[in-house]
Amino acid sequence: MSPAPKLASFPAIRGALRFYQVCSVVTGTMLLLLCAEMVVKYAFGYELFLGGSGGFLWFAPVVEGPNGHESTGDGLNLSLGILVTHGWFYVVYLFACFRVWSLMRWPFLRFLLLALGGIVPFLSFFLEVRVAREVRQYLKTREDVELHSRPEHSSVTQAVPAENER
């Protein structure tokens, strides 16, 4: 069993949890956009562009060339932008996962499960809810135990007279 997080790290855990939640939602959303982009590109043969000869937003056909699939559109390739953005934000998501994992002192397999949230569609949304609920419950339980274990809050100890009452 891994050691329990220290009480002094609870504010850092709360901050790491908030950062993880934001990263989880952004990464999950980018992954869904990436999956949709891949379906459109490889199943239907189109890429999404911003600006250029086709107008504001338009789909350009993808052709098979000597180097694989080649784009025929001009303008800003949003399909490529989604791919790159998800890739870079997945690195940020991994950092957020690592931070929560290390502060909570979970086993390494738990980190691997969190990391899968950025590459398995919809998993990050489910993990975000579950991890947030679990961490908040753990922190609340530990704080309650610590509060009631102090002598001044214990119902077992008797009142100690103050200096001026002796």
Side-chain angles (χ1 to χ4, degrees), residues 66-112:
N67 298 328
H69 293 281
E70 294 181 10
S71 184
T72 60
D74 56 352
L76 181 64
N77 187 340
L78 290 181
S79 296
L80 182 62
I82 290 169
L83 175 73
V84 171
T85 304
H86 171 71
W88 279 106
F89 210 87
Y90 181 66
V91 173
V92 176
Y93 173 74
L94 284 178
F95 174 73
C97 292
F98 176 80
R99 200 152 167 247
V100 170
W101 168 78
S102 64
L103 287 170
M104 288 299 294
R105 299 181 176 196
W106 285 330
F108 185 69
L109 285 176
R110 184 73 181 262
F111 174 72
L112 294 178

Short mmCIF file of all heavy atoms in Angstrom, two decimals, residues 66-112:
data_model
loop_
_atom_site.label_atom_id
_atom_site.label_comp_id
_atom_site.label_asym_id
_atom_site.label_seq_id
_atom_site.Cartn_x
_atom_site.Cartn_y
_atom_site.Cartn_z
N PRO A 66 2.23 10.06 -54.05
CA PRO A 66 3.37 9.17 -53.80
C PRO A 66 3.77 9.10 -52.32
O PRO A 66 4.35 8.12 -51.87
CB PRO A 66 4.50 9.75 -54.65
CG PRO A 66 4.09 11.14 -54.97
CD PRO A 66 2.59 11.19 -54.88
N ASN A 67 3.46 10.14 -51.56
CA ASN A 67 3.80 10.19 -50.14
C ASN A 67 2.59 9.93 -49.25
O ASN A 67 2.57 10.34 -48.09
CB ASN A 67 4.40 11.55 -49.77
CG ASN A 67 5.69 11.81 -50.52
OD1 ASN A 67 6.43 10.89 -50.82
ND2 ASN A 67 5.94 13.07 -50.84
N GLY A 68 1.56 9.30 -49.76
CA GLY A 68 0.35 9.04 -48.98
C GLY A 68 -0.73 10.04 -49.33
O GLY A 68 -0.79 10.55 -50.45
N HIS A 69 -1.60 10.33 -48.37
CA HIS A 69 -2.69 11.29 -48.59
C HIS A 69 -2.13 12.71 -48.67
O HIS A 69 -1.37 13.13 -47.81
CB HIS A 69 -3.71 11.22 -47.45
CG HIS A 69 -4.47 9.93 -47.42
ND1 HIS A 69 -5.51 9.67 -48.26
CD2 HIS A 69 -4.33 8.83 -46.64
CE1 HIS A 69 -5.99 8.46 -48.02
NE2 HIS A 69 -5.27 7.93 -47.03
N GLU A 70 -2.52 13.43 -49.73
CA GLU A 70 -2.06 14.80 -49.92
C GLU A 70 -3.26 15.71 -50.04
O GLU A 70 -4.24 15.40 -50.71
CB GLU A 70 -1.18 14.91 -51.17
CG GLU A 70 0.12 14.17 -51.03
CD GLU A 70 1.00 14.30 -52.26
OE1 GLU A 70 0.69 15.14 -53.14
OE2 GLU A 70 1.99 13.57 -52.34
N SER A 71 -3.15 16.85 -49.39
CA SER A 71 -4.24 17.81 -49.39
C SER A 71 -4.23 18.63 -50.67
O SER A 71 -3.17 18.95 -51.21
CB SER A 71 -4.07 18.73 -48.18
OG SER A 71 -5.13 19.61 -48.10
N THR A 72 -5.42 18.98 -51.14
CA THR A 72 -5.53 19.81 -52.35
C THR A 72 -6.01 21.21 -52.03
O THR A 72 -6.13 22.03 -52.93
CB THR A 72 -6.52 19.17 -53.35
OG1 THR A 72 -7.80 19.06 -52.72
CG2 THR A 72 -6.03 17.80 -53.79
N GLY A 73 -6.28 21.49 -50.77
CA GLY A 73 -6.83 22.79 -50.40
C GLY A 73 -5.76 23.83 -50.15
O GLY A 73 -4.59 23.52 -49.94
N ASP A 74 -6.19 25.09 -50.20
CA ASP A 74 -5.32 26.19 -49.82
C ASP A 74 -5.99 26.90 -48.63
O ASP A 74 -7.14 26.66 -48.31
CB ASP A 74 -5.08 27.15 -50.98
CG ASP A 74 -6.37 27.70 -51.56
OD1 ASP A 74 -7.45 27.22 -51.18
OD2 ASP A 74 -6.31 28.60 -52.41
N GLY A 75 -5.26 27.72 -47.95
CA GLY A 75 -5.78 28.34 -46.74
C GLY A 75 -5.22 27.62 -45.51
O GLY A 75 -4.29 26.84 -45.60
N LEU A 76 -5.83 27.88 -44.38
CA LEU A 76 -5.39 27.27 -43.12
C LEU A 76 -6.02 25.90 -42.97
O LEU A 76 -7.25 25.77 -42.92
CB LEU A 76 -5.77 28.18 -41.94
CG LEU A 76 -5.35 27.70 -40.56
CD1 LEU A 76 -3.84 27.64 -40.45
CD2 LEU A 76 -5.91 28.61 -39.50
N ASN A 77 -5.19 24.87 -42.89
CA ASN A 77 -5.66 23.49 -42.77
C ASN A 77 -6.10 23.24 -41.31
O ASN A 77 -5.28 22.97 -40.44
CB ASN A 77 -4.56 22.52 -43.18
CG ASN A 77 -5.04 21.10 -43.25
OD1 ASN A 77 -6.04 20.73 -42.67
ND2 ASN A 77 -4.29 20.28 -43.99
N LEU A 78 -7.41 23.31 -41.04
CA LEU A 78 -7.92 23.10 -39.70
C LEU A 78 -7.80 21.64 -39.26
O LEU A 78 -7.67 21.35 -38.07
CB LEU A 78 -9.38 23.55 -39.60
CG LEU A 78 -9.60 25.06 -39.66
CD1 LEU A 78 -11.09 25.38 -39.52
CD2 LEU A 78 -8.81 25.78 -38.59
N SER A 79 -7.83 20.72 -40.19
CA SER A 79 -7.66 19.31 -39.86
C SER A 79 -6.28 19.07 -39.25
O SER A 79 -6.15 18.39 -38.23
CB SER A 79 -7.84 18.45 -41.10
OG SER A 79 -9.15 18.56 -41.59
N LEU A 80 -5.28 19.64 -39.87
CA LEU A 80 -3.93 19.53 -39.33
C LEU A 80 -3.81 20.29 -38.01
O LEU A 80 -3.14 19.83 -37.08
CB LEU A 80 -2.91 20.06 -40.35
CG LEU A 80 -1.45 19.97 -39.96
CD1 LEU A 80 -1.04 18.52 -39.77
CD2 LEU A 80 -0.58 20.63 -41.02
N GLY A 81 -4.47 21.42 -37.91
CA GLY A 81 -4.45 22.21 -36.68
C GLY A 81 -5.04 21.45 -35.49
O GLY A 81 -4.52 21.51 -34.38
N ILE A 82 -6.13 20.71 -35.75
CA ILE A 82 -6.74 19.90 -34.69
C ILE A 82 -5.77 18.82 -34.24
O ILE A 82 -5.60 18.57 -33.04
CB ILE A 82 -8.07 19.29 -35.18
CG1 ILE A 82 -9.12 20.39 -35.35
CG2 ILE A 82 -8.56 18.21 -34.23
CD1 ILE A 82 -10.37 19.93 -36.08
N LEU A 83 -5.11 18.18 -35.18
CA LEU A 83 -4.14 17.13 -34.88
C LEU A 83 -3.00 17.66 -34.02
O LEU A 83 -2.66 17.08 -32.98
CB LEU A 83 -3.61 16.54 -36.18
CG LEU A 83 -2.50 15.52 -36.06
CD1 LEU A 83 -3.06 14.20 -35.53
CD2 LEU A 83 -1.82 15.31 -37.40
N VAL A 84 -2.41 18.76 -34.42
CA VAL A 84 -1.28 19.34 -33.70
C VAL A 84 -1.70 19.85 -32.32
O VAL A 84 -1.02 19.61 -31.31
CB VAL A 84 -0.62 20.46 -34.53
CG1 VAL A 84 0.40 21.22 -33.73
CG2 VAL A 84 0.00 19.88 -35.79
N THR A 85 -2.86 20.51 -32.26
CA THR A 85 -3.34 21.04 -30.98
C THR A 85 -3.61 19.91 -29.98
O THR A 85 -3.24 20.01 -28.81
CB THR A 85 -4.62 21.87 -31.19
OG1 THR A 85 -4.34 22.91 -32.13
CG2 THR A 85 -5.09 22.48 -29.89
N HIS A 86 -4.23 18.85 -30.44
CA HIS A 86 -4.47 17.72 -29.53
C HIS A 86 -3.15 17.13 -29.06
O HIS A 86 -3.00 16.81 -27.88
CB HIS A 86 -5.31 16.63 -30.19
CG HIS A 86 -5.37 15.38 -29.35
ND1 HIS A 86 -6.07 15.32 -28.17
CD2 HIS A 86 -4.79 14.17 -29.51
CE1 HIS A 86 -5.91 14.12 -27.63
NE2 HIS A 86 -5.14 13.41 -28.43
N GLY A 87 -2.21 16.98 -29.95
CA GLY A 87 -0.91 16.41 -29.58
C GLY A 87 -0.20 17.22 -28.51
O GLY A 87 0.28 16.67 -27.52
N TRP A 88 -0.17 18.53 -28.68
CA TRP A 88 0.49 19.37 -27.68
C TRP A 88 -0.30 19.44 -26.39
O TRP A 88 0.27 19.44 -25.30
CB TRP A 88 0.75 20.77 -28.24
CG TRP A 88 1.96 20.80 -29.10
CD1 TRP A 88 2.00 20.89 -30.45
CD2 TRP A 88 3.31 20.70 -28.66
NE1 TRP A 88 3.29 20.85 -30.88
CE2 TRP A 88 4.13 20.75 -29.80
CE3 TRP A 88 3.91 20.58 -27.41
CZ2 TRP A 88 5.51 20.67 -29.73
CZ3 TRP A 88 5.30 20.51 -27.34
CH2 TRP A 88 6.09 20.56 -28.49
N PHE A 89 -1.60 19.49 -26.50
CA PHE A 89 -2.38 19.57 -25.27
C PHE A 89 -2.38 18.25 -24.52
O PHE A 89 -2.55 18.22 -23.31
CB PHE A 89 -3.81 20.06 -25.52
CG PHE A 89 -4.33 20.81 -24.34
CD1 PHE A 89 -4.09 22.17 -24.21
CD2 PHE A 89 -5.01 20.16 -23.33
CE1 PHE A 89 -4.52 22.86 -23.10
CE2 PHE A 89 -5.46 20.85 -22.21
CZ PHE A 89 -5.21 22.19 -22.11
N TYR A 90 -2.17 17.15 -25.23
CA TYR A 90 -2.05 15.86 -24.54
C TYR A 90 -0.83 15.86 -23.63
O TYR A 90 -0.85 15.27 -22.54
CB TYR A 90 -1.96 14.71 -25.55
CG TYR A 90 -1.87 13.36 -24.90
CD1 TYR A 90 -2.92 12.85 -24.15
CD2 TYR A 90 -0.72 12.59 -25.00
CE1 TYR A 90 -2.84 11.61 -23.53
CE2 TYR A 90 -0.62 11.36 -24.39
CZ TYR A 90 -1.69 10.88 -23.66
OH TYR A 90 -1.60 9.65 -23.04
N VAL A 91 0.23 16.54 -24.03
CA VAL A 91 1.42 16.66 -23.17
C VAL A 91 1.06 17.42 -21.89
O VAL A 91 1.46 17.03 -20.79
CB VAL A 91 2.57 17.35 -23.93
CG1 VAL A 91 3.75 17.63 -23.02
CG2 VAL A 91 3.00 16.51 -25.13
N VAL A 92 0.29 18.48 -22.01
CA VAL A 92 -0.16 19.24 -20.84
C VAL A 92 -1.06 18.37 -19.98
O VAL A 92 -0.97 18.37 -18.74
CB VAL A 92 -0.89 20.54 -21.27
CG1 VAL A 92 -1.45 21.28 -20.08
CG2 VAL A 92 0.05 21.43 -22.07
N TYR A 93 -1.94 17.59 -20.62
CA TYR A 93 -2.82 16.67 -19.89
C TYR A 93 -2.01 15.64 -19.11
O TYR A 93 -2.33 15.32 -17.97
CB TYR A 93 -3.76 16.00 -20.89
CG TYR A 93 -4.61 14.90 -20.30
CD1 TYR A 93 -5.69 15.19 -19.48
CD2 TYR A 93 -4.33 13.56 -20.56
CE1 TYR A 93 -6.48 14.19 -18.94
CE2 TYR A 93 -5.12 12.56 -20.03
CZ TYR A 93 -6.18 12.88 -19.22
OH TYR A 93 -6.95 11.87 -18.68
N LEU A 94 -0.96 15.11 -19.72
CA LEU A 94 -0.11 14.14 -19.02
C LEU A 94 0.55 14.77 -17.80
O LEU A 94 0.68 14.13 -16.75
CB LEU A 94 0.97 13.59 -19.96
CG LEU A 94 0.51 12.56 -20.96
CD1 LEU A 94 1.68 12.14 -21.86
CD2 LEU A 94 -0.09 11.35 -20.28
N PHE A 95 0.96 16.02 -17.93
CA PHE A 95 1.52 16.73 -16.77
C PHE A 95 0.48 16.86 -15.67
O PHE A 95 0.77 16.65 -14.49
CB PHE A 95 2.05 18.11 -17.18
CG PHE A 95 2.51 18.92 -16.01
CD1 PHE A 95 3.68 18.62 -15.34
CD2 PHE A 95 1.74 19.99 -15.55
CE1 PHE A 95 4.09 19.36 -14.24
CE2 PHE A 95 2.14 20.73 -14.46
CZ PHE A 95 3.32 20.42 -13.81
N ALA A 96 -0.75 17.20 -16.03
CA ALA A 96 -1.83 17.33 -15.04
C ALA A 96 -2.10 15.98 -14.37
O ALA A 96 -2.30 15.91 -13.15
CB ALA A 96 -3.09 17.87 -15.70
N CYS A 97 -2.12 14.92 -15.15
CA CYS A 97 -2.32 13.57 -14.60
C CYS A 97 -1.18 13.22 -13.64
O CYS A 97 -1.41 12.70 -12.54
CB CYS A 97 -2.37 12.53 -15.71
SG CYS A 97 -3.80 12.63 -16.77
N PHE A 98 0.04 13.51 -14.06
CA PHE A 98 1.21 13.20 -13.22
C PHE A 98 1.14 13.96 -11.90
O PHE A 98 1.45 13.41 -10.84
CB PHE A 98 2.51 13.55 -13.96
CG PHE A 98 3.72 13.34 -13.12
CD1 PHE A 98 4.25 12.06 -12.96
CD2 PHE A 98 4.34 14.40 -12.48
CE1 PHE A 98 5.37 11.86 -12.17
CE2 PHE A 98 5.46 14.21 -11.69
CZ PHE A 98 5.97 12.94 -11.54
N ARG A 99 0.73 15.19 -11.96
CA ARG A 99 0.67 16.02 -10.75
C ARG A 99 -0.35 15.46 -9.74
O ARG A 99 -0.05 15.32 -8.56
CB ARG A 99 0.31 17.45 -11.14
CG ARG A 99 0.68 18.41 -10.10
CD ARG A 99 1.00 19.79 -10.62
NE ARG A 99 1.02 20.60 -9.43
CZ ARG A 99 0.16 21.53 -9.15
NH1 ARG A 99 -0.77 21.84 -10.01
NH2 ARG A 99 0.23 22.19 -8.02
N VAL A 100 -1.55 15.14 -10.21
CA VAL A 100 -2.56 14.56 -9.31
C VAL A 100 -2.08 13.21 -8.80
O VAL A 100 -2.17 12.92 -7.61
CB VAL A 100 -3.93 14.43 -10.03
CG1 VAL A 100 -4.90 13.61 -9.20
CG2 VAL A 100 -4.51 15.80 -10.32
N TRP A 101 -1.57 12.41 -9.70
CA TRP A 101 -1.11 11.06 -9.33
C TRP A 101 0.00 11.12 -8.28
O TRP A 101 -0.05 10.39 -7.28
CB TRP A 101 -0.63 10.34 -10.59
CG TRP A 101 0.13 9.09 -10.32
CD1 TRP A 101 -0.39 7.88 -9.98
CD2 TRP A 101 1.55 8.92 -10.36
NE1 TRP A 101 0.61 6.96 -9.82
CE2 TRP A 101 1.81 7.58 -10.04
CE3 TRP A 101 2.61 9.77 -10.64
CZ2 TRP A 101 3.11 7.07 -9.99
CZ3 TRP A 101 3.89 9.27 -10.59
CH2 TRP A 101 4.13 7.93 -10.27
N SER A 102 0.98 11.98 -8.48
CA SER A 102 2.09 12.03 -7.53
C SER A 102 1.68 12.62 -6.19
O SER A 102 2.12 12.14 -5.15
CB SER A 102 3.27 12.80 -8.13
OG SER A 102 2.92 14.15 -8.35
N LEU A 103 0.83 13.64 -6.20
CA LEU A 103 0.40 14.24 -4.93
C LEU A 103 -0.49 13.28 -4.14
O LEU A 103 -0.44 13.25 -2.90
CB LEU A 103 -0.33 15.56 -5.18
CG LEU A 103 0.56 16.74 -5.58
CD1 LEU A 103 -0.30 17.91 -6.04
CD2 LEU A 103 1.47 17.15 -4.44
N MET A 104 -1.32 12.51 -4.84
CA MET A 104 -2.19 11.55 -4.16
C MET A 104 -1.46 10.25 -3.81
O MET A 104 -2.01 9.43 -3.08
CB MET A 104 -3.41 11.23 -5.04
CG MET A 104 -4.41 12.35 -5.15
SD MET A 104 -5.13 12.82 -3.57
CE MET A 104 -6.03 11.35 -3.13
N ARG A 105 -0.27 10.07 -4.34
CA ARG A 105 0.56 8.88 -4.07
C ARG A 105 -0.15 7.59 -4.46
O ARG A 105 -0.17 6.62 -3.71
CB ARG A 105 1.00 8.87 -2.61
CG ARG A 105 1.83 10.08 -2.26
CD ARG A 105 2.27 10.03 -0.84
NE ARG A 105 3.13 11.17 -0.55
CZ ARG A 105 3.91 11.23 0.51
NH1 ARG A 105 3.94 10.26 1.37
NH2 ARG A 105 4.66 12.30 0.70
N TRP A 106 -0.73 7.61 -5.65
CA TRP A 106 -1.42 6.44 -6.18
C TRP A 106 -0.41 5.49 -6.81
O TRP A 106 0.69 5.89 -7.18
CB TRP A 106 -2.45 6.85 -7.22
CG TRP A 106 -3.69 7.47 -6.66
CD1 TRP A 106 -4.27 7.22 -5.45
CD2 TRP A 106 -4.53 8.43 -7.31
NE1 TRP A 106 -5.41 7.96 -5.31
CE2 TRP A 106 -5.60 8.70 -6.44
CE3 TRP A 106 -4.50 9.05 -8.54
CZ2 TRP A 106 -6.62 9.59 -6.76
CZ3 TRP A 106 -5.50 9.94 -8.85
CH2 TRP A 106 -6.55 10.21 -7.97
N PRO A 107 -0.80 4.22 -7.03
CA PRO A 107 0.07 3.27 -7.74
C PRO A 107 0.26 3.69 -9.20
O PRO A 107 -0.56 4.41 -9.77
CB PRO A 107 -0.68 1.94 -7.66
CG PRO A 107 -1.82 2.14 -6.74
CD PRO A 107 -2.02 3.60 -6.53
N PHE A 108 1.36 3.19 -9.81
CA PHE A 108 1.69 3.59 -11.17
C PHE A 108 0.62 3.20 -12.18
O PHE A 108 0.39 3.92 -13.16
CB PHE A 108 3.05 3.00 -11.58
CG PHE A 108 3.50 3.48 -12.92
CD1 PHE A 108 3.88 4.80 -13.11
CD2 PHE A 108 3.55 2.61 -14.00
CE1 PHE A 108 4.29 5.26 -14.35
CE2 PHE A 108 3.96 3.06 -15.24
CZ PHE A 108 4.33 4.38 -15.42
N LEU A 109 -0.04 2.09 -11.97
CA LEU A 109 -1.11 1.68 -12.90
C LEU A 109 -2.22 2.72 -12.96
O LEU A 109 -2.87 2.88 -14.00
CB LEU A 109 -1.67 0.31 -12.52
CG LEU A 109 -0.77 -0.87 -12.86
CD1 LEU A 109 -1.37 -2.18 -12.35
CD2 LEU A 109 -0.50 -0.95 -14.34
N ARG A 110 -2.44 3.42 -11.88
CA ARG A 110 -3.45 4.47 -11.86
C ARG A 110 -3.05 5.61 -12.79
O ARG A 110 -3.88 6.19 -13.48
CB ARG A 110 -3.63 4.97 -10.42
CG ARG A 110 -4.72 5.98 -10.23
CD ARG A 110 -6.09 5.30 -10.34
NE ARG A 110 -7.15 6.23 -10.19
CZ ARG A 110 -7.81 6.44 -9.06
NH1 ARG A 110 -7.52 5.77 -7.98
NH2 ARG A 110 -8.78 7.32 -9.01
N PHE A 111 -1.76 5.92 -12.82
CA PHE A 111 -1.27 6.95 -13.74
C PHE A 111 -1.48 6.52 -15.19
O PHE A 111 -1.88 7.32 -16.02
CB PHE A 111 0.22 7.25 -13.48
CG PHE A 111 0.80 8.19 -14.50
CD1 PHE A 111 0.47 9.54 -14.49
CD2 PHE A 111 1.66 7.73 -15.47
CE1 PHE A 111 0.99 10.41 -15.43
CE2 PHE A 111 2.19 8.59 -16.42
CZ PHE A 111 1.86 9.93 -16.39
N LEU A 112 -1.21 5.25 -15.47
CA LEU A 112 -1.41 4.76 -16.84
C LEU A 112 -2.88 4.85 -17.24
O LEU A 112 -3.19 5.21 -18.38
CB LEU A 112 -0.91 3.32 -16.96
CG LEU A 112 0.60 3.13 -16.80
CD1 LEU A 112 0.95 1.65 -16.90
CD2 LEU A 112 1.36 3.94 -17.83
#
